[in-house]
Amino acid sequence: MQLQIRKWGNSAAVRLPQAILAQFHLNENDCFDVEMQNNRLILHPIKPQKICYDIRTLMAEMNGNLPMVEGWEEMPAVGKELE
């Protein structure tokens, strides 16, 4: 596969086809480290660490005054609240 360098504003850019993005699980605005080795450019995706939140932990960190929504108790479940 050949890619072409194109002008992008005052810079130059290489466009990556959707197939490459999908194969490497990349998204728009992802970042890379660039390594130059033996006259080659090697791109290393920088994937941010996935942050997992637990509702109990988040609520425990609150200062006692939990926000209240009027009628909360009567609202129907819309996701996985009951799991």
Side-chain angles (χ1 to χ4, degrees):
M1 175 184 298
Q2 291 185 348
L3 302 175
Q4 185 177 27
I5 297 174
R6 294 272 178 118
K7 185 168 179 59
W8 187 15
N10 291 327
S11 300
V14 174
R15 295 174 63 177
L16 299 177
Q18 188 63 39
I20 290 177
L21 297 177
Q23 181 177 346
F24 291 97
H25 308 288
L26 299 171
N27 297 300
E28 194 174 301
N29 298 318
D30 280 356
C31 295
F32 292 87
D33 276 330
V34 178
E35 179 183 345
M36 290 175 276
Q37 190 178 85
N38 298 327
N39 264 353
R40 295 175 185 234
L41 292 177
I42 302 170
L43 301 177
H44 299 279
I46 300 171
K47 288 291 186 178
Q49 290 185 346
K50 189 173 184 179
I51 300 172
C52 296
Y53 294 103
D54 175 277
I55 190 67
R56 289 178 187 90
T57 304
L58 292 172
M59 290 180 73
E61 291 175 0
M62 296 186 79
N63 295 332
N65 295 328
L66 300 178
M68 298 303 292
V69 175
E70 197 168 316
W72 176 266
E73 295 82 12
E74 292 82 33
M75 290 182 182
V78 294
K80 297 182 179 183
E81 294 95 337
L82 300 176
E83 290 182 10

